[in-house]
Amino acid sequence: MKTSEARRAVAAAMSTVSSFGLTADDALVLHDSNKLTLRLLPCDVLARVAPAAHQIARFEVELAQRLAGAGCPVAALEPRVEPRVHERDGFEITLWTYYEPAKPREISPADYATALGLLHAGMRQLDTPTPHFTDRVEQAQQLVANHDRTPALADADRQLLGDTLRNLRRAIGERAGAEQLLHGEPHPGNLLTTRNGLLFIDLETCCRGPVEFDLAHAPEEVGEHYPGADRELLRACRILVLAMITTWRWDRDDQLPDGRRLAGEWLGRIRAAVDRNGLDPQD
């Protein structure tokens, strides 16, 4: 967030927590992107603050409650306040339990796969309307095609990304079997090591698709421990996900630190993967 907006977001979060009789004298910024994630002290509440225009928080809160009820390994909402979206000064604020990181923080591939499998098992019990994973692929395709939004992307790289997204979207759709509710982005940054075990956070990216799409966000070794994963489908999903996150980095409004350097590095990996796996960009 811009500095002025971030100050307002922090003030809105602290005021919201205080309105429930909890003391919030300080705020530590844990993550700053399209939303602000704060640890409020001394009440020790985790607050996620986003502009009200995003209109995604309500979906995340409702889904978190249902997943927790199904026994899924997900972070819980803050139990001392009403479990809903709180609106203040043009922001949507959700309040969550803060989990002190457990030590050691390293996650074994087997434990990662087990936690993701438990999440998927619980998600199969829910009938929740969500976007399809191809909707997110289409968003990346539209970004690649929009020269105004991606002005620094060279023509050859633009073609590489566009072809990779289009061809793999089609190939995965043709190969994928059963589909279900997915986390959408269960990468290591969205998995906490806590005294309560491994817990997934950030459910706003949930979508429907094959479990291999979720596995593609995890370290490669995790897929080796996930029972029943289609190795060829997972390989294709990994390249697709890499093309998607590379595309986001070329967005003129992207604020990820060192994002443009990463984008260049990832383009090289995509080229190598396309050549190595025989994925003809002209198919």
Side-chain angles (χ1 to χ4, degrees), residues 3-283:
T3 302
S4 58
E5 188 178 39
R7 283 198 296 265
R8 289 178 45 240
V10 170
M14 296 176 71
S15 296
T16 298
V17 167
S18 298
S19 71
F20 288 99
L22 302 176
T23 304
D25 297 327
D26 194 16
L28 303 178
V29 177
L30 303 182
H31 187 69
D32 182 4
S33 58
N34 59 326
K35 68 173 67 62
L36 207 58
T37 302
L38 308 167
R39 181 185 181 185
L40 304 180
L41 296 168
C43 61
D44 224 7
V45 172
L46 187 135
R48 301 183 73 201
V49 191
H54 286 193
Q55 295 292 313
I56 193 67
R58 187 166 288 101
F59 166 79
E60 185 177 23
V61 165
E62 293 174 355
L63 187 57
Q65 290 177 284
R66 296 184 66 188
L67 289 174
C72 291
V74 294
L77 292 158
E78 168 54 53
R80 292 171 289 179
V81 303
E82 186 180 351
R84 63 176 177 83
V85 178
H86 310 276
E87 298 185 8
R88 187 179 293 262
D89 193 22
F91 294 100
E92 289 188 337
I93 301 158
T94 54
L95 303 175
W96 304 80
T97 298
Y98 175 78
Y99 296 93
E100 193 71 39
K103 296 181 181 179
R105 298 189 183 185
E106 293 79 12
I107 304 171
S108 74
D111 288 343
Y112 201 132
T114 297
L116 189 55
L118 289 172
L119 178 66
H120 286 159
M123 285 181 155
R124 282 194 289 273
Q125 301 177 36
L126 304 185
D127 183 16
T128 301
T130 59
H132 196 261
F133 84 97
T134 53
D135 294 339
R136 298 182 56 205
V137 180
E138 184 176 355
Q139 291 174 0
Q141 290 178 283
Q142 291 174 352
L143 190 58
V144 167
N146 191 328
H147 288 248
D148 290 337
R149 289 282 305 279
T150 53
L153 188 58
D155 289 343
D157 297 334
R158 190 181 302 277
Q159 181 172 348
L160 173 68
L161 286 174
D163 290 343
T164 301
L165 292 166
R166 182 183 66 254
N167 292 338
L168 286 178
R169 174 182 175 179
R170 183 186 69 235
I172 291 168
E174 292 172 352
R175 185 180 180 94
E179 297 187 345
Q180 67 158 83
L181 182 64
L182 303 174
H183 181 286
E185 289 187 358
H187 53 69
N190 282 334
L191 183 58
L192 302 179
T193 56
T194 77
R195 294 167 186 165
N196 300 67
L198 299 178
L199 299 175
F200 287 96
I201 61 172
D202 202 353
L203 301 171
E204 66 178 31
T205 55
C206 282
C207 58
R208 297 196 69 82
V211 295
E212 287 80 6
F213 182 77
D214 260 3
L215 278 169
H217 291 80
E220 289 192 20
E221 298 82 3
V222 174
E224 299 171 5
H225 294 271
Y226 193 99
D230 183 327
R231 305 302 172 189
E232 288 301 309
L233 182 58
L234 177 54
R235 176 184 61 83
C237 285
R238 286 197 183 283
I239 303 172
L240 175 67
V241 168
L242 183 60
M244 291 170 65
I245 63 175
T246 300
T247 298
W248 309 141
R249 302 290 76 80
W250 289 101
D251 188 339
R252 68 186 181 197
D253 297 326
D254 185 62
Q255 297 181 11
L256 183 73
D258 211 20
R260 196 54 56 84
R261 182 193 64 79
L262 288 171
E265 177 183 317
W266 293 341
L267 280 169
R269 289 172 55 187
I270 293 169
R271 270 197 192 85
V274 167
D275 293 341
R276 183 171 59 249
N277 291 286
L279 302 173
D280 185 352
Q282 300 306 317
D283 282 349

